Amino acid sequence: MAALIEIDRVSGTLRGADAGRAGLPLLAPEAWHGQADAGLRLPGDAEPEARFAEAPLIAIEFPAFHDGRGLSLAVLLRTRFGFTGELRAIGDVRPDLLHYLVRCGFDTFELAEGVSIDLADPRLVPHLQYYQASVRDPEPAFRRVARGRAA
Amino acid sequence: MLRCDPRNPGTPMYRYDSFDRQFIAERVRHYRAQTERYLAGELSEDEFRHLRLRNGLYVQRLAPMLRVAVPYGTLSSTQLRTLAHIARDYDRGYGHLSTRQNMQFNWPELAEVPDILEALAEVEMHAIQTSGNCIRNVTTDEFSGVAADETLDPRPYCEIIRQWSTSHPEFDWLPRKFKIAVTGAAEDRAAIDVHDIGLRVYRDAAGERLVDFIVGGGLGRTPVIGETIRTGLPMAHLLTYLEAVMRVYNRYGRRDNKYKARIKILVRALTAEGFRAKVDEEWALVRDSASVLTVAEIERVEGYFVPPAWPSVPDATATLAEQRLANPAFGRWVANNVMAHRQPGYAAVVLSTKVTGIPPGDVSDRQMQAVADWADRYGFGEIRISHQQNFVLPDVPQAALFELWQAACREGLGESNVGLLTNIICCPGGDYCSLANAKSIPVAEAIQQRFDDYDYLHDLGPIDLNISGCMNACGHHHVGTIGILGVDKKGEEFYQISIGGHAGHAGQTASIGAIIGPSVSRDEVPDVIGRILDTYVALRAPGETFLATCRRIGTEPFKERIYGRAD
């Protein structure tokens, strides 16, 4: 079983996730009809639908860690379809890319088979702040912080 | 005549604030840790490859290659001195000016790259997103801010895009690399028609800042002229509209075949109309987001690019005319390499790296040092890199031109060939690059050797000769008035030659060159070029440029004279 990690939505820190949650069954969109005890499993190129917002869990699959389609899908689910449930990244999920996933609105991460992570490693957090708006920080830096001015 | 503090506080360019400084320092620390984990075997080869690419590091044929970002081609003298120091201490004493206005180092040690990045960070530089399938360094007109034909200085918008695209959460793992170019002048010197996105920025009659979007142009395997999908968009929406374009590309761009993964293939598949509809649909849903630029933010960034208070200088036209008359070589340099400036008494100067025997774009640490010194002595501490792989000093008083020219000649940067056949754009090719099918540097040298008579070059007039060592087209061969492409034929290097391409500068429309016949061996290239030029000279109308002749008569007359008739 691959490690499941979650992010604390308030503090932004990563920690091991509750093992029970990992067991929720995942269904393809055509098999999911609003069940509260099953999550959805979407490929990165899926077209999001309004009814998905009711799912307790949506898992987006990354066929390769460098395939960014799942990032856009996550952003759409969060910002356009108002999905507030658990958004999980599955498939080829690597520790060094978690910061992208976090900013696109994922909150749990099932790491790729055989990949381990030291959650205490400060090196996993590359930056304290970013320039652009994201799902996590809806305001870009120019609205959020006082930037410098030309002398 | 030193007008600038060597630390150039008065140079009109973007300066890091504490936010930028912290971000870049964090990035260096993060990449250092990734390098250490890779060297310790804790990070897989494939994963590290993608991470190092996003920090500018390729592994090339002979050694790693580090591509340092020179945002929109703008450098301070302090930054150029740091690049000279890196060339000396971490490389073999030289660097290479790329066609994306960046500087490449061909011989760094992988383990030392974090140290180099740290040295760069100290002078507000980085190598972020200079490679990999992400948004690359934004390029622009090398005469931005000084060109007489400029309507709006594009650099503030380049900087806004640089910040927005840096480590973007959603758009750092695209189907393929992504190149954006911006122009703000009447003449397009940034080749915006052949970029993934080309932006034209300007003010309307009411003074409002606007932007036009051209999408889906590009060179590479499938050269395409971009399609205009939006005109007159208020600048406040620069980032929201970019976001809409990028989201459509990230979601629908092909990922099954790297040769069909650029945005131009998607635009073609959907048609420009279909692509525009998808973008507009997306934009309608993001146009009111927090990413809308505020007037305060636009003006904050514009504030860094306010022109220097050019001291008024005595009109030197008469002296300059005398100097040109007395010294024809200087006269030639002024005619070809010195460009009109918006401020009377000043000029913008191109320092050509295209010297026979030196790979186009290669510059030594000593030359970098010298150029930095001239920028302080004659200008305002600023240097540009052009996409034609030359240095530009943007503000030199006319009265200093003769002295600068003499110094440039001593340092091997005084060649007068800007706009002429021998100002060759050339990729590093098979000598360095692991992607190349053929060498390109020796071809450039053979052509420069053959055509070294300035009277003849002048008679030929404006010709852009561009050479790429493979279909990736880093040497922009498709938009050369003469383009040369290295191809592999059963393990042997051959060269395919095209004519009539153009990047869209000098008031011309952009066009893709047409191939004139079967590829030839390396030895034959200078002869074929000679026959092309002879054909032009024989068939041109009075005063007609090479490009105009090509457009008027097509390729047939060239084919006949070069390859002979079937009889």
Side-chain angles (χ1 to χ4, degrees):
Chain A
M1 185 72 214
L4 187 68
I5 291 163
E6 68 180 341
I7 182 160
D8 183 304
R9 285 195 188 184
V10 179
S11 68
T13 52
L14 295 166
R15 61 186 177 219
D18 171 10
R21 286 237 305 286
L24 206 63
L26 296 174
L27 301 175
E30 53 278 15
W32 185 78
H33 308 289
Q35 300 93 311
D37 57 353
L40 262 170
R41 179 194 190 101
L42 301 179
D45 62 354
E47 284 298 331
E49 298 174 30
R51 65 186 181 103
F52 294 172
E54 305 304 319
L57 162 69
I58 296 178
I60 296 176
E61 185 153 23
F62 287 80
F65 68 88
H66 48 80
D67 182 334
R69 285 175 296 188
L71 299 170
S72 283
L73 179 57
V75 169
L76 288 177
L77 287 168
R78 286 294 194 214
T79 60
R80 193 146 310 154
F81 293 88
F83 176 66
T84 55
E86 177 185 340
L87 190 55
R88 184 181 298 175
I90 61 173
D92 194 11
V93 177
R94 311 287 182 106
D96 289 82
L97 276 69
L98 288 185
H99 68 95
Y100 295 100
L101 298 165
V102 166
R103 286 183 286 146
C104 287
F106 286 94
D107 37 26
T108 58
F109 316 91
E110 191 181 292
L111 293 185
E113 213 60 55
V115 172
S116 62
I117 183 172
D118 174 4
L119 289 170
D121 188 347
R123 297 184 300 189
L124 281 175
V125 184
H127 298 286
L128 294 173
Q129 299 195 77
Y130 290 88
Y131 288 102
Q132 350 47 21
S134 67
V135 173
R136 214 181 143 68
D137 296 302
E139 302 240 295
F142 66 80
R143 289 182 191 269
R144 210 168 57 225
V145 298
R147 298 293 312 271
R149 295 205 162 264
Chain B
M1 207 171 164
L2 193 75
R3 29 181 105 246
C4 257
D5 184 296
R7 289 160 301 164
N8 18 62
T11 306
M13 58 187 291
Y14 185 70
R15 294 302 155 116
Y16 283 9
D17 65 358
S18 57
F19 189 99
D20 299 298
R21 265 192 296 276
Q22 180 183 324
F23 192 93
I24 299 302
E26 287 168 341
R27 178 73 169 224
V28 174
R29 267 202 304 278
H30 194 57
Y31 182 65
R32 184 182 293 282
Q34 288 169 331
T35 303
E36 285 165 4
R37 284 164 56 218
Y38 167 70
L39 293 173
E42 295 165 24
L43 206 50
S44 73
E45 189 73 45
D46 187 37
E47 200 172 349
F48 183 63
R49 183 171 71 88
H50 284 270
L51 299 171
R52 68 169 159 73
L53 285 174
R54 276 163 186 72
N55 288 286
L57 189 65
Y58 282 78
V59 173
Q60 291 283 43
R61 181 157 284 182
L62 304 166
M65 181 274 277
L66 180 69
R67 183 179 293 146
V68 175
V70 178
Y72 33 97
T74 302
L75 282 168
S76 71
S77 55
T78 304
Q79 291 172 328
L80 186 54
R81 287 191 185 94
T82 296
L83 294 174
H85 148 77
I86 290 168
R88 207 160 36 236
D89 292 358
Y90 295 98
D91 208 285
R92 298 189 180 173
Y94 65 98
H96 175 77
L97 309 183
S98 83
T99 52
R100 287 205 68 68
Q101 303 180 291
N102 291 320
M103 187 175 289
Q104 300 181 173
F105 293 107
N106 280 306
W107 310 94
E109 293 290 337
L110 187 140
E112 285 183 345
V113 168
D115 297 336
I116 299 175
L117 297 179
E118 205 162 284
L120 289 170
E122 278 173 29
V123 292
E124 305 182 1
M125 295 186 80
H126 61 74
I128 297 170
Q129 290 168 220
T130 55
S131 52
N133 295 336
C134 52
I135 300 172
R136 305 287 190 87
N137 184 31
V138 181
T139 51
T140 193
D141 186 344
E142 66 270 29
F143 300 115
S144 295
V146 300
D149 67 336
E150 187 172 273
T151 47
L152 186 59
D153 185 345
R155 294 172 298 170
Y157 315 107
C158 294
E159 176 59 28
I160 286 170
I161 296 169
R162 182 191 76 80
Q163 297 190 16
W164 169 80
S165 63
T166 298
S167 217
H168 195 285
E170 189 183 343
F171 306 132
D172 220 15
W173 302 89
L174 299 168
R176 200 75 177 88
K177 59 186 169 183
F178 203 91
K179 299 176 178 181
I180 301 175
V182 190
T183 185
E187 178 185 338
D188 170 23
R189 286 172 289 260
I192 59 171
D193 286 325
V194 287
H195 276 77
D196 294 292
I197 294 180
L199 301 175
R200 183 183 296 285
V201 298
Y202 53 100
R203 278 183 198 272
D204 67 7
E208 196 191 352
R209 303 169 186 87
L210 301 175
V211 54
D212 295 348
F213 273 70
I214 299 167
V215 169
L219 301 175
R221 205 163 282 254
T222 316
V224 184
I225 301 295
E227 300 269 4
T228 300
I229 62 161
R230 189 94 199 179
T231 56
L233 187 75
M235 196 63 79
H237 286 297
L238 175 67
L239 299 184
T240 56
Y241 204 79
L242 272 173
E243 178 180 336
V245 173
M246 296 312 297
R247 185 165 296 134
V248 170
Y249 172 56
N250 192 39
R251 295 188 69 210
Y252 302 110
R254 286 180 62 172
R255 290 176 188 260
D256 59 327
N257 178 345
K258 72 181 263 195
Y259 301 118
K260 297 191 183 300
R262 297 289 287 268
I263 195 173
K264 60 195 171 189
I265 305 294
L266 178 65
V267 173
R268 186 177 274 184
L270 296 173
T271 73
E273 205 44 56
F275 184 82
R276 182 208 330 250
K278 264 191 155 22
V279 170
D280 284 349
E281 190 184 328
E282 185 59 43
W283 184 58
L285 296 162
V286 297
R287 59 176 294 176
D288 297 320
S289 74
S291 296
V292 173
L293 286 168
T294 57
V295 174
E297 175 64 0
I298 291 175
E299 289 180 350
R300 178 184 79 84
V301 182
E302 282 180 341
Y304 288 96
F305 298 95
V306 170
W310 289 301
S312 72
V313 288
D315 182 65
T317 317
T319 320
L320 197 59
E322 276 170 35
Q323 289 167 331
R324 291 176 68 168
L325 206 62
N327 196 324
F330 174 64
R332 199 162 56 217
W333 184 76
V334 172
N336 294 333
N337 293 36
V338 174
M339 306 298 155
H341 197 284
R342 65 172 61 157
Q343 181 73 8
Y346 287 83
V349 171
V350 183
L351 298 166
S352 174
T353 70
K354 313 301 174 61
V355 179
T356 306
I358 306 286
D362 274 14
V363 285
S364 69
D365 62 323
R366 185 192 152 103
Q367 287 176 318
M368 293 183 223
Q369 198 78 46
V371 173
D373 291 348
W374 302 334
D376 285 337
R377 187 172 312 136
Y378 305 115
F380 294 81
E382 192 191 350
I383 302 101
R384 311 280 177 84
I385 295 174
S386 72
H387 82 269
Q388 291 92 350
Q389 304 171 287
N390 292 320
F391 280 123
V392 171
L393 294 179
D395 359 57
V396 178
Q398 288 175 327
L401 288 172
F402 190 70
E403 195 181 306
L404 173 60
W405 172 71
Q406 289 176 311
C409 288
R410 282 195 296 275
E411 296 295 339
L413 290 165
E415 206 64 52
S416 307
N417 53 6
V418 172
L420 302 181
L421 177 79
T422 54
N423 182 28
I424 296 172
I425 293 182
C426 181
C427 71
D431 289 298
Y432 295 99
C433 179
S434 50
L435 302 172
N437 290 322
K439 292 185 180 183
S440 48
I441 293 168
V443 178
E445 185 177 347
I447 292 168
Q448 286 168 330
Q449 255 163 14
R450 167 74 70 94
F451 305 100
D452 65 346
D453 173 4
Y454 266 109
D455 290 332
Y456 180 59
L457 293 173
H458 261 274
D459 177 58
L460 293 172
I463 293 179
D464 301 321
L465 193 148
N466 298 354
I467 308 175
S468 304
C470 77
M471 284 308 282
N472 288 307
C474 296
H476 299 184
H477 65 278
H478 298 297
V479 290
T481 29
I482 298 176
I484 301 178
L485 165 67
V487 293
D488 177 273
K489 267 194 183 173
K490 295 177 185 148
E492 276 194 71
E493 296 183 347
F494 274 75
Y495 297 86
Q496 198 173 66
I497 295 168
S498 55
I499 59 170
H502 203 264
H505 54 92
Q508 302 294 328
T509 53
S511 58
I512 305 297
I515 296 165
I516 53 162
S519 55
V520 298
S521 70
R522 194 193 301 166
D523 295 345
E524 294 173 288
V525 172
D527 284 338
V528 173
I529 302 301
R531 273 176 269 155
I532 290 172
L533 299 173
D534 291 345
T535 306
Y536 159 61
V537 170
L539 300 180
R540 67 183 166 188
E544 193 176 51
T545 63
F546 181 85
L547 179 70
T549 303
C550 290
R551 287 182 175 174
R552 178 174 56 83
I553 67 176
T555 52
E556 281 310 315
F558 288 94
K559 286 182 183 171
E560 280 170 23
R561 286 177 179 240
I562 290 153
Y563 295 97
R565 289 167 193 274
D567 58 295

